[in-house]
Amino acid sequence: MIVEILAVGTELLLGNIANTNAQYLSRRCAVLGFSVYHHTVVGDNEDRMTEAIRQALGRSDIVILTGGLGPTEDDMTKEVCAKVMGFSLEEDAHTRKRISGYFQATRRKKITENNWKQAVVPVGATVLDNDNGTAPGLILRKGEKTAILLPGPPNELMPLFTEKAEPYLRTLQPETIYSKMVKVCGIGESRAETMILDLIDSQTNPTIATYAKTGEVHLRVTARAADKTQAKKLVKPVVKELKNRFGIHIYSTKEEEGLEHTVVKLLKKYGLTVATAESMTGGLLSGRLVNVAGASECFCEGFVTYSNQAKRKALGVKKETLKRYGAVSEETAKEMAKGGAKAAGVKACVAVTGFAGPEDSKEEPKGLTYISCYLNDKVSVEEFHFTGNRMKIREQAVVQALDLLRRCIVEQYQR
């Protein structure tokens, strides 16, 4: 079945807020096995909303509308959608009582009259109680077409969709959908796709979809079956084949696990302590690590040594090394990693030095980066040539630094 996501709000068109709801809903619909072909954004204008809703219903089986359900005059999603689909409106006693209770429970001021507008619903619609706000969600079905109306604030939309709308959508999908994510690092999207092109060309069920992230490629394997057990059986051999092809480049098969989570988990598993020695990334690497709950058990210290003087003073990088090879060099990266481990008294240290631009310098091209990992007296170093703007280059360096640390641990402890 085809789903379209229609976001309502002039503030979205003006760029005042990001449309994170569409991203969230697309992900959830993919998991549920629905195909999302269009994202549409329309302002708070009745004529343009009418046109957008008619167009969406004309080309999609299900339209999920977000925003425009509040108490003000420009909140008209419910009214316009009901008119397009041929529903009359009336006040719902249950919803009025719930709105009153919400105000009392949150100890808000006296309810203004316009709030009761939110208690008016299309006759025959399914009302989805909103436990985190006043505007209820709504499901309108006419013939083979369905419209699901959700409030705009993400802290209201997400739980309402998960708890109320998603169970309804599952009833429209006769098959069970099961997905497994395979997360790959150190291989670009085009190369990753080339490595599995034969699988993609011959796929029917399960299917493989690739998603590019900064420095990573995520592969989602999805199967349809009569039940979850059968769907899992279909997915398992495909995931096994992906593991055979990508090997050590796969860092996780868990949807919720990021690269930094995998690294912290490995450090804790083998009782390792780590430090970071950063030049170009300026603390971004240590920041990724400390974002993980429990990182304090393994992350000890982070050195930000942007200047040559700081590299010498904090990390013990030799003056001769800096003079002969430069700050952005394999030799300097190695000494940063070794020096960081020694200074922090840890078993592992990962170091980053590079040139992020914005323009090429006389000494080195923009994006040239050296990343080194010291682990148990063994030092590894890799050279990279990143592209993009200054921030993009630094973000890519952080990903590759985490991945180098991960691979060094795997190679020493799991082989």
Side-chain angles (χ1 to χ4, degrees), residues 208-251:
I208 305 172
T210 61
Y211 306 90
K213 296 192 68 178
T214 300
E216 301 181 30
V217 178
H218 294 181
L219 309 169
R220 183 183 293 280
V221 183
T222 304
R224 302 168 182 263
D227 55 55
K228 190 173 182 178
T229 300
Q230 290 299 316
K232 280 186 173 182
K233 286 182 178 179
L234 291 170
V235 166
K236 188 175 180 179
V238 178
V239 172
K240 183 179 179 180
E241 181 60 26
L242 293 177
K243 288 181 177 180
N244 289 336
R245 299 193 184 195
F246 291 104
I248 196 172
H249 292 288
I250 294 176
Y251 73 82

Side-chain angles (χ1 to χ4, degrees), residues 98-116:
R98 189 192 57 76
I99 292 172
S100 178
Y102 180 85
F103 272 87
Q104 291 175 8
T106 54
R107 298 181 180 179
R108 298 193 178 188
K109 296 179 181 180
K110 183 179 178 181
I111 306 174
T112 57
E113 191 63 30
N114 61 351
N115 275 285
W116 299 124

Side-chain angles (χ1 to χ4, degrees), residues 141-410:
R141 187 165 179 83
K142 178 78 72 167
E144 298 299 315
K145 302 292 183 176
T146 301
I148 299 176
L149 283 60
L150 300 171
N155 66 326
E156 297 180 32
L157 178 143
M158 291 181 185
L160 187 60
F161 180 82
T162 302
E163 297 165 14
K164 309 288 175 64
E166 194 168 306
Y168 171 79
L169 287 171
R170 289 183 185 277
T171 66
L172 303 181
Q173 181 59 265
E175 297 175 303
T176 294
I177 307 298
Y178 176 77
S179 294
K180 190 76 172 177
M181 185 71 85
V182 178
K183 298 185 176 183
V184 175
C185 195
I187 296 178
E189 184 183 22
S190 58
R191 182 184 165 200
E193 185 178 81
T194 300
M195 291 172 66
I196 58 171
L197 198 56
D198 59 317
L199 299 178
I200 294 174
D201 287 344
S202 63
Q203 67 184 3
T204 52
N205 185 31
T207 59
I208 305 172
T210 61
Y211 306 90
K213 296 192 68 178
T214 300
E216 301 181 30
V217 178
H218 294 181
L219 309 169
R220 183 183 293 280
V221 183
T222 304
R224 302 168 182 263
D227 55 55
K228 190 173 182 178
T229 300
Q230 290 299 316
K232 280 186 173 182
K233 286 182 178 179
L234 291 170
V235 166
K236 188 175 180 179
V238 178
V239 172
K240 183 179 179 180
E241 181 60 26
L242 293 177
K243 288 181 177 180
N244 289 336
R245 299 193 184 195
F246 291 104
I248 196 172
H249 292 288
I250 294 176
Y251 73 82
S252 181
T253 57
K254 295 182 179 179
E255 183 89 35
E256 70 283 357
E257 187 170 279
L259 181 56
E260 61 269 38
H261 296 86
T262 299
V263 170
V264 169
K265 186 167 68 175
L266 285 170
L267 289 166
K268 290 161 70 172
K269 180 179 179 179
Y270 297 109
L272 297 171
T273 50
V274 69
T276 58
E278 303 180 64
S279 182
M280 179 183 73
T281 48
L284 289 178
L285 175 57
S286 58
R288 279 283 291 267
L289 287 169
V290 299
N291 276 340
V292 181
S296 58
E297 296 178 34
C298 54
F299 177 67
C300 296
E301 194 166 355
F303 300 94
V304 178
T305 55
Y306 207 62
S307 68
N308 285 355
Q309 184 180 3
K311 291 178 178 67
R312 291 174 58 195
K313 182 179 178 180
L315 304 174
V317 177
K318 297 174 185 176
K319 183 178 181 180
E320 296 78 10
T321 301
L322 291 166
K323 185 176 180 180
R324 182 176 180 181
Y325 300 104
V328 181
S329 64
E330 177 181 332
E331 292 76 12
T332 296
K334 285 182 177 180
E335 290 189 19
M336 287 174 65
K338 290 175 67 176
K342 182 179 179 181
V346 294
K347 293 182 178 180
C349 180
V350 60
V352 182
T353 182
F355 183 67
E359 305 296 336
D360 294 340
S361 73
K362 293 180 180 179
E363 292 77 23
E364 55 267 320
K366 172 185 172 183
L368 174 63
T369 305
Y370 291 93
I371 301 173
S372 181
C373 180
Y374 173 93
L375 178 61
N376 294 327
D377 297 322
K378 182 179 179 181
V379 186
S380 301
V381 65
E382 294 183 355
E383 178 181 323
F384 297 90
H385 295 266
F386 299 122
T387 60
N389 60 29
R390 184 176 177 83
M391 192 63 201
K392 192 73 172 179
I393 288 171
R394 296 171 70 222
E395 289 174 344
Q396 291 175 83
V398 169
V399 172
Q400 295 305 327
L402 288 169
D403 191 54
L404 178 58
L405 174 59
R406 178 191 67 84
R407 286 186 281 113
C408 286
I409 296 172
V410 171

